Amino acid sequence: MDNCFIICKRILSSLYVPFTEQFLKEKIFTHPKYPSLLAISDTLEEYKVDSLAAKIGPDRLDDLLLPGIVQVSLESGNYFNVITSISGSVITLFDEKGHQKKISRLDFLKIWTGVTLLVEAKEDASEPEITQKLRDKWILKTLIIISFFCLFVWFGIGLIEKSGSVLEIGYFLLKFLGLSISAILLWYQQNKTNPTLQKFCSVGEKFDCNSILDSQKFQWLNGRLNLSLLGFAYFFAGIGSLSISGFFSITILSWISFLTIPVILYSIYYQAIVIKKWCKFCLMVQIVLILEVLTIINGRFWIGGIELSSLLFFVFLFTVIIIGGILIIPTIGLQDKLYTINRELAQFKSNKDLFELILGKSRKIQNEPKGLGILMKGEKSKYQVIKVSNPNCGPCAQAHPVLENLFAKGNIDFQILFVSGNIDKQKERTVQHFLAIKDKGDSRLMMDALNDWYVSDNQNYSTFSEKYPIDFELENQEEKIRAMEDWCEKEQINYTPTLFINGYELPKEYNLEDLKYILI
């Protein structure tokens, strides 16, 4: 699993900032500077976690604001760790793989490069729309649990009705156990970075699941057909046959179980003699298969007539799962490929020379909007950004946090013009209020007012005007509104938000998110 992603998870958890893995993966894996400390810093910013990169000497270790991210140098390369506590000569941290451990101060200082990311969560630090995401996740989990519970109860009722034999029910439960183990094994084969499964599979020198699962002996169709899928299909077809046909199909299932004996023997031989490594999940499946055979022998299930329909139904279920797995498995890794494509695109689009070349070919402002709207000067601005906005425009509200963040960093001069033609009195009143606040000359107050308005889910002018009271100044803004209206007509502003960077309209190939990596 990626070190940057792991460290982001650990630092957010240590700061008690709620997050979802999907959003975190999207932000960290698509960052144009991934993998880097900048990628981590920018990702944490999405969660309203402030960060500051610094180079700190060993004598300042005890002064670190904890938890904090540090860079360590190992034989295999440079990685990031999360320090959670410093107590005397002992450092507690999450290492490059996300495992919590304690090491001595001396050992830590040997690997610490001094590079540190100091972090601090704001009071409202969280993932955007986290409440809705967690609620949806809870609903999905609940539905999955209910569906599996109902399925298991349905299987159980069917078994009780169709059989009075304890051995037959035991045979079914072995099928269910085998299906569960095979499902976990199938999951592991597609997600080998899962730390829990990795730990289970690799404990001890003699155990290594990957040595078995990745062997070409057990891979077919370019890896899309493997032992995990075969095992899952075998147990699923068995459960399906018992559930639909009842124990009338147990005779044919018994003979099929006998056919697994050579597979068991070969698997044990391959692990013990050929590669001298054992796969724990494979051994668990083999134990279930052996118990199946013993149950069949004890219950004499193989005695009886073989119904062709039962055999055909088993083959049908078995092949459907195999075909489905062959078709679905290649799509499992598409998300990671998509992250890679988006990251490469972000790297391409964050090239400043390319951006300025394309920007220079875009539409240029013909009339300078000097003195119009709201202008806030950045402390170290390199770019002039003009946003033509509408006070009740959804996309304008979404654009504001990105531009506000760039302005807060001092990177841009930020000018906002409002489209006021053919708008109702309420919207015009809002624009007048903004302009009146601007006349007070307090840029911090101005930005707070803009943030309150655009970030609010319910843009209510009455509430806004009570929080930012203005008296007679409102009526003095009429001429300014007409001037902005004339400018918008001359520049043929047809939609909001319309953005201009250094006098040129933002090219359609770029979006607001791209500006975070360009206007720095």
Side-chain angles (χ1 to χ4, degrees):
M1 188 174 290
D2 177 78
N3 177 234
C4 290
F5 173 65
I6 291 173
I7 293 309
C8 280
K9 283 180 60 177
R10 290 305 187 188
I11 196 67
L12 289 173
S13 297
S14 299
L15 294 170
Y16 302 102
V17 176
F19 69 94
T20 61
E21 289 199 4
Q22 182 65 32
F23 184 83
L24 182 58
K25 282 183 178 179
E26 180 182 344
K27 291 302 176 182
I28 196 74
F29 290 150
T30 60
H31 193 283
K33 300 299 182 183
Y34 161 91
S36 67
L37 198 63
L38 178 61
I40 294 176
S41 177
D42 286 348
T43 299
L44 293 177
E45 191 174 289
E46 299 281 348
Y47 292 85
K48 298 182 181 179
V49 175
D50 293 332
S51 60
L52 175 66
K55 180 85 170 183
I56 299 176
D59 57 316
R60 299 291 305 278
L61 178 60
D62 291 303
D63 298 331
L64 287 183
L65 179 66
L66 300 180
I69 298 173
V70 295
Q71 185 187 58
V72 296
S73 179
L74 306 178
E75 290 184 2
S76 55
N78 291 338
Y79 299 93
F80 299 111
N81 288 181
V82 174
I83 294 183
T84 55
S85 71
I86 301 173
S87 178
S89 61
V90 178
I91 309 291
T92 304
L93 53 76
F94 289 105
D95 66 11
E96 61 279 2
K97 295 182 179 179
H99 300 149
Q100 189 173 35
K101 65 181 183 181
K102 295 182 179 181
I103 65 174
S104 69
R105 179 188 293 261
L106 183 60
D107 288 339
F108 174 75
L109 292 177
K110 289 179 180 178
I111 60 174
W112 184 31
T113 65
V115 175
T116 305
L117 188 68
L118 305 174
V119 297
E120 184 178 12
K122 298 179 181 178
E123 289 186 5
D124 58 344
S126 68
E127 184 173 298
E129 301 178 345
I130 186 63
T131 303
Q132 180 179 346
K133 292 176 183 178
L134 293 178
R135 183 192 62 204
D136 294 344
K137 187 177 181 180
W138 180 85
I139 292 173
L140 180 60
K141 283 185 176 180
T142 302
L143 291 174
I144 292 173
I145 292 172
I146 292 173
S147 63
F148 273 98
F149 175 77
C150 292
L151 182 64
F152 186 77
V153 171
W154 177 65
F155 283 160
I157 293 173
L159 287 174
I160 295 172
E161 291 177 349
K162 296 174 184 178
S163 170
S165 168
V166 174
L167 286 176
E168 289 176 344
I169 295 176
Y171 182 69
F172 171 83
L173 293 177
L174 284 172
K175 290 285 187 187
F176 193 85
L177 177 61
L179 180 68
S180 302
I181 298 171
S182 298
I184 295 174
L185 184 57
L186 194 61
W187 175 31
Y188 173 74
Q189 196 147 9
Q190 304 307 317
N191 183 24
K192 293 179 181 177
T193 59
N194 185 284
T196 303
L197 297 180
Q198 260 190 345
K199 186 175 180 180
F200 177 81
C201 284
S202 58
V203 173
E205 296 181 359
K206 292 292 185 179
F207 293 97
D208 183 9
C209 293
N210 294 334
S211 298
I212 309 299
L213 299 176
D214 294 340
S215 173
Q216 293 301 315
K217 291 279 187 180
F218 305 114
Q219 299 277 344
W220 306 277
L221 298 178
N222 294 323
R224 288 185 289 175
L225 179 60
N226 49 54
L227 283 178
S228 306
L229 181 58
L230 287 173
F232 183 83
Y234 167 79
F235 289 113
F236 183 90
I239 288 179
S241 298
L242 289 172
S243 302
I244 304 300
S245 303
F247 286 96
F248 297 108
S249 62
I250 199 166
T251 302
I252 187 60
L253 292 178
S254 299
W255 285 104
I256 294 173
S257 293
F258 283 140
L259 293 177
T260 64
I261 294 176
V263 178
I264 297 171
L265 295 175
Y266 179 75
S267 179
I268 293 175
Y269 164 78
Y270 189 82
Q271 294 177 77
I273 307 300
V274 179
I275 65 171
K276 296 180 174 61
K277 294 279 187 180
W278 296 92
C279 169
K280 288 186 178 180
F281 282 120
C282 299
L283 288 175
M284 291 170 67
V285 171
Q286 289 156 19
I287 290 172
V288 172
L289 293 174
I290 292 171
L291 290 175
E292 273 191 5
V293 173
L294 294 176
T295 303
I296 290 167
I297 294 173
N298 194 29
R300 300 172 64 83
F301 296 156
W302 76 87
I303 298 175
I306 296 178
E307 294 185 2
L308 180 60
S309 59
S310 297
L311 174 61
L312 293 176
F313 187 66
F314 176 90
V315 173
F316 168 75
L317 291 177
F318 183 83
T319 53
V320 164
I321 295 298
I322 293 296
I323 294 171
I326 291 173
L327 295 176
I328 293 173
I329 286 175
T331 66
I332 294 176
L334 289 182
Q335 186 65 64
D336 291 335
K337 293 180 180 178
L338 183 60
Y339 287 144
T340 302
I341 292 172
N342 287 339
R343 181 170 65 251
E344 291 174 349
L345 178 61
Q347 291 171 346
F348 180 76
K349 294 171 74 173
S350 63
N351 185 303
K352 290 187 179 182
D353 292 335
L354 177 64
F355 173 73
E356 291 178 1
L357 178 64
I358 298 176
L359 182 67
K361 296 181 180 180
S362 186
R363 179 165 70 110
K364 186 179 181 180
I365 288 177
Q366 300 301 314
N367 303 277
E368 288 294 328
K370 189 174 181 180
L372 299 181
I374 300 168
L375 174 62
M376 293 172 287
K377 303 285 287 185
E379 295 179 1
K380 48 181 180 180
S381 60
K382 303 176 184 177
Y383 302 90
Q384 291 74 47
V385 177
I386 298 173
K387 181 179 80 165
V388 184
S389 181
N390 181 320
N392 292 92
C393 162
C396 297
Q398 295 172 5
H400 182 77
V402 176
L403 297 173
E404 190 274 337
N405 187 47
L406 288 169
F407 172 75
K409 292 179 178 179
N411 297 340
I412 65 172
D413 290 336
F414 188 21
Q415 186 172 6
I416 304 176
L417 278 66
F418 293 97
V419 175
S420 54
N422 300 319
I423 64 175
D424 58 37
K425 290 296 181 181
Q426 188 75 7
K427 292 181 179 178
E428 185 167 335
R429 199 71 170 173
T430 305
V431 175
Q432 289 176 331
H433 210 107
F434 281 137
L435 295 177
I437 294 174
K438 186 263 297 185
D439 287 344
K440 291 180 177 293
D442 188 339
S443 60
R444 183 66 266 170
L445 178 66
M446 184 74 257
M447 187 55 70
D448 288 343
L450 290 168
N451 287 340
D452 281 347
W453 178 262
Y454 280 117
V455 175
S456 174
D457 294 329
N458 182 22
Q459 294 175 335
N460 185 285
Y461 176 72
S462 297
T463 304
F464 177 77
S465 61
E466 289 177 3
K467 187 172 182 179
Y468 300 93
I470 295 294
D471 297 323
F472 61 88
E473 296 96 331
L474 288 179
E475 304 303 329
N476 298 333
Q477 311 304 324
E478 193 68 31
E479 184 177 343
K480 298 176 184 178
I481 290 178
R482 299 287 82 82
M484 284 191 294
E485 184 176 309
D486 291 341
W487 184 88
C488 290
E489 289 180 359
K490 291 177 181 178
E491 295 298 328
Q492 299 180 351
I493 303 299
N494 299 317
Y495 60 89
T496 58
T498 299
L499 295 178
F500 293 92
I501 314 295
N502 290 346
Y504 292 88
E505 186 174 0
L506 181 69
K508 64 180 182 300
E509 292 85 1
Y510 291 82
N511 57 46
L512 275 167
E513 291 294 317
D514 298 325
L515 297 182
K516 294 191 299 185
Y517 310 121
I518 298 172
L519 306 185
I520 55 176

